[in-house]
Amino acid sequence: MNEWNDIAVLVPVRDIDIASVPLLREQVDGLIDMGMRRIIINCQNVAFIDSTGLAFLLACARRLARGEGLLSLVNASANVIRFIQIARLIDVLHVRPAQKTALPVLSAGVLPKWNKTLSVTGGIECLGAYRHRVSELLATLPMTADARFDTALAAGEALSNAFDHAGGVGCSMTVQAYPDRVVIEVRDGGAGFELSADQEIEASEERGRGIKLMRMLVDSVDVSRRRDVPGTCVRLVKLIGAAAA
């Protein structure tokens, strides 16, 4: 961190997400309390920002603005800029995803081309690694870079929710590649939660943007109680290739 009079520069060492936000919030709160009016966040090490990171940045920007200050992000990658462009609509407007056509039904007997289960053994500090692993897996498929980024970000949101609401208990993630789609399932061992396809979640300053963001990023989001054990299963579907056109 560098300081010049009433200007400070923060350089997060990793993604701005549910794992890194507590420390960043502590740093920013301390700077504002010291009288800093301009805070610059250098994103040179940031590949992803999740909904918790978005809430944090919005809260900081609003707090600084009340004191005629300013929050800025610099050295942002194309993916980070894309996220900001998408996510800022969630707060600026009441956004609903465009009406989507029903997902094509998979023919009977169609099996996935591959099926990968990611071992979710670490805590929230490992969220970035899981997002990057999903992105690596999707790089083998005929998806655009934007589609890979969107899908990895949505998977990270689902896993972040599992850590947030279930404390990471019983978490697992599977990624399945079919000829026309990617199916990602994130399960946890919490109390269980269910959400209908058209049900909205009211966002507070700190929470509630994850589901909205997932719905904007992929073609289908299903949130349901697990049938095998207590917990929640979030199922994400992203069409690929010609099916996504």
Side-chain angles (χ1 to χ4, degrees):
M1 178 178 67
N2 296 313
E3 300 177 27
W4 299 277
N5 297 325
D6 63 349
I7 300 175
V9 178
L10 292 177
V11 187
V13 297
R14 59 185 181 188
D15 297 343
I16 301 176
D17 59 18
I18 191 175
S20 62
V21 159
L23 176 59
L24 288 172
R25 181 184 291 112
E26 182 180 328
Q27 292 174 327
V28 170
D29 286 348
L31 290 170
I32 295 176
D33 290 342
M34 289 167 52
M36 294 293 171
R37 298 179 57 222
R38 176 80 187 277
I39 296 177
I40 300 170
I41 297 181
N42 186 336
C43 296
Q44 64 186 39
N45 302 316
V46 178
F48 287 91
I49 300 175
D50 71 1
S51 60
T52 302
L54 171 67
F56 159 72
L57 293 173
L58 287 170
C60 291
R62 288 167 179 161
R63 184 178 175 191
L64 283 164
R66 287 195 292 269
E68 298 185 351
L70 180 67
L71 177 75
S72 299
L73 274 63
V74 299
N75 287 335
S77 68
N79 280 343
V80 168
I81 292 172
R82 173 177 168 76
F83 170 79
I84 296 297
Q85 290 172 334
I86 293 171
R88 67 190 294 245
L89 296 175
I90 294 175
D91 266 51
V92 175
L93 302 172
H94 179 69
V95 176
R96 293 184 64 91
Q99 187 66 35
K100 298 174 182 175
T101 57
L103 288 174
V105 177
L106 281 172
S107 301
V110 172
L111 298 175
K113 297 160 64 176
W114 49 257
N115 182 343
K116 302 289 185 181
T117 298
L118 304 187
S119 178
V120 183
T121 56
I124 58 172
E125 71 278 0
C126 298
L127 277 174
Y130 299 129
R131 283 191 296 266
H132 287 277
R133 180 58 180 146
V134 170
S135 186
E136 289 172 358
L137 290 172
L138 300 182
T140 66
L141 302 174
M143 302 176 72
T144 65
D146 284 351
R148 288 197 302 271
F149 174 78
D150 290 356
T151 308
L153 181 56
E157 285 297 319
L159 192 54
S160 177
N161 281 349
F163 278 110
D164 190 20
H165 299 294
V169 175
C171 286
S172 66
M173 177 188 289
T174 60
V175 184
Q176 296 179 312
Y178 289 87
D180 70 338
R181 70 193 68 192
V182 173
V183 178
I184 298 176
E185 291 189 350
V186 175
R187 298 181 177 87
D188 67 50
F193 179 68
E194 199 150 296
L195 193 68
S196 63
D198 59 352
Q199 187 175 348
E200 292 286 348
I201 294 226
E202 291 300 320
S204 66
E205 181 160 304
E206 293 291 334
R207 305 179 67 170
R209 296 175 179 84
I211 295 292
K212 291 184 178 182
L213 190 57
M214 283 187 272
R215 286 173 171 170
M216 293 177 70
L217 295 171
V218 297
D219 295 291
S220 174
V221 179
D222 179 74
V223 182
S224 59
R225 296 180 187 275
R226 294 178 63 173
R227 303 292 182 255
D228 50 347
V229 295
T232 302
C233 176
V234 178
R235 189 173 191 266
L236 311 173
V237 180
K238 182 75 168 180
L239 295 173
I240 61 177

